[in-house]
Amino acid sequence: MGILSLITGKAGASGFGSASTAEQVTDGVDASRLTVVITGGASGIGLETSRVFALRGAHVVIAARNTEAASEARKTIMEKNPTARIDVLKLDLSSLKSVRAFADQFNSMKLPLNILINNAGVMFCPFQLSKDGVEMQFATNHLGHFLLTNLLLDNMKATAKSTGIEGRIVNLSSVAHHHTYPKGIDFDKINDKKIYNDKLAYGQSKLANLLHAKELSRRLQEEGANITVNSVHPGLIMTNLMRHSFVLMKVLQVATYILWKNVPQGAATTCYVGLNPQLSGVTGKYFADCNEEKISKLARNDELAKQLWDFSEELIKSSQ
């Protein structure tokens, strides 16, 4: 991203920029025939994403660890939009058992699925292992979403085929994918507490989100599925994601206040990639400020993407 464009909000090739809001980038879009699953859709930019998708008429399924908070979020949205269609289902991405239970519950509802927004995440948390024995940032940000996507993919393929409407998968990555361990993904030391660095581990998980989208996009294109897969960087936004580094982030925000976005701006790129017709047929790309952006050398590595896919499958098998 050009710093000048970020500061000024100047629109890029898409017609939108860093100052654009989620409502602006979806203006005029009719999503009434669409069903969307949004992980972490009850707070921060996930909540704004849920609100705007519902505003455009989509049937929104909020997948959240805290279903009470998600139900409150649903209530808040519906107070201003009484006709909104919103369901809440429990999902703890750090537990593969919970991911499977969510997928079973969703599939049992016999709903179509047009769009999957892999939004939820944790950031800069102290070292800990998930219930499946995997480092928490990698487990929550990547592995849980990897399994969830795989379990919902048949539904998405069937929906795209029966309706003729392009399916879309959006992975929330980050500019932090540039700042990771030297190998990008430290496969041999994912759970090594001795070398753990909360910032590099976060970058590793965000690189994994990008590589996952890249490899899945390649596979879907190969089989001719009418589904696109893209990654986004939402920008700098002060949300609950910052809770493990609140003081650091507040200092950073004061020092770089001109670069930060509000929540409606932070959700814009997700909503643009998820709903805007300009992105029809566009897949395997990375977007920031609603425009395609360059990725790191590691994120362009096809072999690393395939290796991550195989590694993720093995981790899931070993947890069963």
Side-chain angles (χ1 to χ4, degrees):
M1 292 167 290
I3 293 296
L4 188 61
S5 297
L6 189 59
I7 293 171
T8 62
K10 182 182 177 183
S14 67
F16 304 109
S18 62
S20 301
T21 66
E23 284 197 26
Q24 288 170 343
V25 303
T26 58
D27 186 38
V29 174
D30 177 9
S32 58
R33 296 173 62 197
L34 306 179
T35 299
V36 56
V37 167
I38 304 171
T39 70
S43 64
I45 61 174
L47 173 56
E48 178 67 358
T49 301
S50 297
R51 184 188 74 79
V52 172
F53 266 85
L55 183 67
R56 301 304 175 217
H59 182 177
V60 176
V61 178
I62 296 176
R65 185 176 56 182
N66 184 338
T67 51
E68 285 185 19
S71 295
E72 279 300 309
R74 177 182 181 274
K75 183 180 175 184
T76 300
I77 294 172
M78 295 194 72
E79 281 173 356
K80 293 186 177 179
N81 182 7
T83 61
R85 295 176 293 156
I86 304 174
D87 286 307
V88 171
L89 296 180
K90 186 173 180 61
L91 171 65
D92 179 354
L93 284 158
S94 69
S95 163
L96 297 178
K97 181 180 179 181
S98 175
V99 173
R100 292 187 181 97
F102 170 89
D104 286 344
Q105 188 175 4
F106 178 81
N107 288 330
S108 72
M109 293 166 73
K110 303 299 181 186
L111 290 172
L113 182 57
N114 304 92
I115 302 168
L116 172 61
I117 308 289
N118 288 322
N119 164 82
V122 293
M123 180 179 182
F124 300 169
C125 55
F127 180 84
Q128 56 183 307
L129 298 178
S130 70
K131 293 171 184 175
D132 303 290
V134 180
E135 187 275 311
M136 188 59 79
Q137 294 193 85
F138 189 83
T140 305
N141 297 349
H142 166 65
L143 195 63
H145 280 126
F146 177 85
L147 177 60
L148 176 68
T149 304
N150 282 353
L151 293 176
L152 297 179
L153 209 49
D154 283 346
N155 187 328
M156 290 196 74
K157 289 176 184 176
T159 300
K161 192 170 184 178
S162 64
T163 62
I165 300 171
E166 175 185 86
R168 295 190 183 184
I169 298 171
V170 182
N171 280 2
L172 265 78
S173 181
S174 169
V175 69
H177 82 270
H178 286 274
H179 185 58
T180 183
Y181 296 110
K183 295 178 183 177
I185 310 290
D186 217 335
F187 295 107
D188 297 330
K189 298 181 179 178
I190 286 287
N191 301 330
D192 191 340
K193 188 176 182 179
K194 292 176 185 175
I195 63 112
Y196 181 76
N197 176 291
D198 59 351
K199 313 298 186 296
L200 296 180
Y202 179 70
Q204 173 177 251
S205 71
K206 295 290 101 180
L207 174 61
N209 292 146
L210 240 166
L211 291 170
H212 170 222
K214 177 184 178 66
E215 177 63 9
L216 179 57
S217 172
R218 185 191 69 78
R219 288 171 179 243
L220 290 172
Q221 280 184 296
E222 206 171 66
E223 65 178 87
N226 188 21
I227 300 172
T228 64
V229 194
N230 292 292
S231 303
V232 303
H233 166 58
L236 288 170
I237 311 105
M238 186 60 72
T239 68
N240 286 339
L241 187 63
M242 307 290 188
R243 62 187 175 275
H244 292 295
S245 54
F246 184 75
V247 175
L248 170 66
M249 286 299 163
K250 283 306 279 187
V251 171
L252 181 64
Q253 187 180 32
V254 169
T256 60
Y257 71 95
I258 205 162
L259 303 178
W260 288 66
K261 297 182 178 184
N262 58 35
V263 170
Q265 293 168 340
T269 306
T270 302
C271 290
Y272 172 71
V273 176
L275 274 183
N276 195 290
Q278 288 183 182
L279 271 292
S280 178
V282 176
T283 190
K285 306 298 183 182
Y286 170 69
F287 294 84
D289 299 332
C290 301
N291 288 277
E292 189 178 340
E293 188 59 51
K294 292 179 181 178
I295 56 177
S296 70
K297 185 177 180 180
L298 287 166
R300 297 194 299 270
N301 189 317
D302 292 340
E303 286 306 311
L304 187 62
K306 291 173 186 173
Q307 189 179 0
L308 174 65
W309 187 283
D310 293 340
F311 179 74
S312 303
E313 285 191 330
E314 285 303 313
L315 277 181
I316 289 166
K317 283 178 188 174
S318 65
S319 74
Q320 290 179 311

